[in-house]
Amino acid sequence: INGLDDDVKTAKEELKEAKNNLKAFKKYVKGNVIRAEYSGTITSLELTKNDTIDEGDEIASYMDADSISMSVDVSEEDVMQIKTGDSVYVELSAYPDEKYNATVSSISQESSGTSTVSYPVVVSIDGDTSKIYSGMSGKATFIQSEVKDVLYVSNKAIITDGDDSYVLIKQKDGSSKKTKVTTGFTDGHNVEITEGVEEGDTLYIESLSE
C-alpha cells in the first residue's frame, strides 16, 4: 500500500507525457497526410509503400529553400576579423558565373582540424536559392571593406613615385600624358580613383620588354 501513491504519481506523469506526444502527433499527422514544420523541397524518401514504420524511423528529408547555409573553415588569423552579420559573397563550383550574397550567421569557438587551426563559420545565403542543393561545394569571400559607385582602374595602371601615384592617359594623337591621381580603396586588383581621371579615359599600362 505504501508504494501505491508513487505508482499513481508515475502513472499520471506518463499519462501527461502521452497526451503531449499525441497532441504533437496530431499537429503533423492528419489522416494519411504528414505535415512538415515548414515549406521546402523533398530531397529524399526513406520509405516506400507497405514498409513498416518503427519509432525513430526517418520518413523523408526535405530542404528549406529560404534557409540555405554554408559552413566555411576560416584560419585563426582571419577569424578574429569576422563578426556575425558581416556580408559575404558565395561562389559555387556548379555555377562559376554566379555570385550569391550571404551573411555570417554563426562563428564556432571550437577549432576544426589538427595540422592547421581553423574555425567553422556558417553563412546564410540570401536571394533565390532554388538551384542550390545539399552537398554543393564553393568558396566564400568575406567583405571587410566595400565601396560602391566609384571610378576605378586596374592597379597595373598605377605608377608610383615616392608617395605620389600617376597614370598614363592616352591622348588624341596616341601619345600618353603622365597625370597625377589620388587613389582610394583597393581590393588588391583594382584601385579607386578619386581625382585625376574621368570616366571614359583610356589608360596605358606600362610593360617590360626584353
Side-chain angles (χ1 to χ4, degrees), residues 28-44:
Y28 297 112
V29 179
K30 293 184 178 180
N32 294 325
V33 177
I34 300 175
R35 299 180 181 273
E37 291 183 273
Y38 50 82
S39 299
T41 302
I42 292 178
T43 57
S44 67

Side-chain angles (χ1 to χ4, degrees), residues 19-153:
K19 287 182 177 179
N20 290 335
N21 290 338
L22 180 60
K23 183 178 180 181
F25 178 82
K26 289 182 176 180
K27 180 179 179 181
Y28 297 112
V29 179
K30 293 184 178 180
N32 294 325
V33 177
I34 300 175
R35 299 180 181 273
E37 291 183 273
Y38 50 82
S39 299
T41 302
I42 292 178
T43 57
S44 67
L45 290 173
E46 309 302 330
L47 299 173
T48 58
K49 184 179 179 180
N50 296 324
D51 282 347
T52 300
I53 302 177
D54 294 324
E55 183 179 356
D57 282 352
E58 184 175 299
I59 299 174
S61 298
Y62 70 105
M63 178 180 66
D64 180 7
D66 296 326
S67 181
I68 301 297
S69 62
M70 176 180 182
S71 181
V72 183
D73 287 335
V74 180
S75 67
E76 58 182 328
E77 293 82 5
D78 296 328
V79 74
M80 301 302 295
Q81 304 176 39
I82 299 172
K83 62 181 183 298
T84 303
D86 281 355
S87 297
V88 184
Y89 289 140
V90 171
E91 297 173 84
L92 300 175
S93 301
Y95 311 114
D97 299 326
E98 297 186 37
K99 185 180 291 185
Y100 292 88
N101 293 320
T103 306
V104 175
S105 56
S106 67
I107 303 171
S108 176
Q109 294 183 334
E110 294 291 332
S111 64
S112 61
T114 54
S115 58
T116 302
V117 178
S118 58
Y119 296 85
V121 175
V122 177
V123 301
S124 298
I125 302 176
D126 306 323
D128 182 9
T129 57
S130 58
K131 297 193 301 180
I132 301 177
Y133 296 93
S134 176
M136 283 186 169
S137 61
K139 66 177 182 179
T141 302
F142 294 86
I143 309 302
Q144 298 298 310
S145 300
E146 186 176 26
V147 291
K148 296 182 179 180
D149 299 324
V150 298
L151 186 66
Y152 66 92
V153 300

